[in-house]
Structure formats: C-alpha cells, structure tokens
Amino acid sequence: LILFDAERQQVLRAALAYLIMMHIGFVLLVAGFAKIYALTGTGNFADLAVCFSAGKTSPIFILFLLGFGMKAGLFPMHVWLPEAHPAAPSHVSAIMSGVMIKTGVYGIMRLMQAVDHNTELLYDIGLIVLLSGIVTGLWGVILAAMQNDVKRLLAYSSIENIGVIFIGLGIATLANASGNTAIMTLALCGALMHTINHSLFKSLLFFGAGNIYSQMHTTLLDRFG
C-alpha cells in the first residue's frame, strides 16, 4: 500500500524502511514468545505471568517492549513513521495511524497486565513506560511543530499521541504498584479513551489531507496561500 506511487524514489525508500523496521519488530516478538515457550512449554500471553513470577523478567519484557514499541512508534523506534505516512496515499495513512499503530499499544497493555501481581516489578515497568511516553510525546510534538509537509506533520503528531497514551499507561502502572486504585483507574481510562480518540481524529485528519492534496496537488503548507 505504501508502494502505491512506486515511481518516486522517496516512496521506495519509505516502503523499504517500513518493511525492514516491521520485520525487526516481528523478529523481536518471535524471540519473546520463543523465550516464553522455553520456560513454560507454551507460547501464550497468559504464560507471561508465570515467567515474571519465576523472575525471568528483563529479557522478555525488553523483547516485547521493543517489538511492540516498533509497531506503535515509540522513540527511538519511530523512524519509519514520518517516512511512511507522506509516501503512502492518505487513506492508507489513515488506517496506519488510526488503527495499525494501536496494535503496538494493545501488545504493551497485554504485557503489563501479566505483571499485575508483582509490586516491585510493576513499579520498574511503570517507570520505563512512563519515561518512554514522555520522551516520545515531547519528541513528536517538537518535530511536528517544525514540519512544512502536512502529512509529515500528522505523522509526528501520531508519535506525540502515542507518547500521551503511554504516559497514561505508565501512571496507571505506577499507581497500581502503590495500591492507589482511583488514580490507576483514571489513568487507564484516560489512556484507553485517548487510544479511541486518536484513532478517530487522526484518521479524519489524514482524509482531510487527502482532500487538500486532490485539489492543490501538494501537501506543503507554505503553498496553500
């Protein structure tokens, strides 16, 4: 789908970058599930809790965080996102940003759910996810403000919003570790609500960018008058 306009060199580079990054993420996830299989005899999400309770945490958590983070666009694994979105047709960008990168968020949520019983581990993971969200959000919004191409701007905005979602997940995990159910519920609801919210508004924004391109034949903001 990214290769729709394959005559352009920029599109070819973007598609190749996307292909490589997604396969790296896939290999990391396969390695994570292989690690679970080696420890438990099955490769299910449900067995993550068994692995974590046995103290086999760090390698598995890192593999899954990197694998799903690659798909979600977490910093510094976001590099494919601002390249792929301007290259792809706008309706494809809408699906990628509104739906596809949320699968990474879902995977991280399943990962964090598995360590619910271990308070010390919850705190460490919550801190990692929170810091990742803050860095991703700041990096995304700073670079979005500097863009002239409207689709590249929206791509960096997606990175920022993924950061916001991960901030919510990080706070929810830290609150869970400290036993604060009210803050945990509010933060988790906020993260889930923003996941749905971003799916809707970013898809519509990319459709809007496509409408602009169909009339102006450019996505550069300084040519719109």
Side-chain angles (χ1 to χ4, degrees), residues 62-152:
I62 290 167
L63 285 169
F64 277 106
L65 181 66
L66 291 174
F68 286 124
M70 193 91 67
K71 192 168 284 293
L74 266 184
F75 180 90
M77 298 164 286
H78 67 287
V79 291
W80 62 270
L81 235 157
E83 300 301 323
H85 283 302
S90 295
H91 55 288
V92 174
S93 297
I95 295 169
M96 286 173 63
S97 187
V99 181
M100 194 278 288
I101 63 175
K102 302 305 184 304
T103 59
V105 175
Y106 170 77
I108 297 292
M109 290 180 70
R110 290 294 299 269
L111 176 66
M112 293 163 70
Q113 185 185 25
V115 292
D116 194 39
H117 64 286
N118 192 324
T119 304
E120 186 179 341
L121 193 58
L122 264 179
Y123 183 82
D124 293 340
I125 287 177
L127 203 57
I128 292 169
V129 171
L130 177 60
L131 291 174
S132 299
I134 291 170
V135 173
T136 302
L138 286 173
W139 184 258
V141 75
I142 289 167
L143 288 179
M146 297 164 59
Q147 301 306 313
N148 186 39
D149 186 308
V150 67
K151 289 184 71 181
R152 190 177 289 272

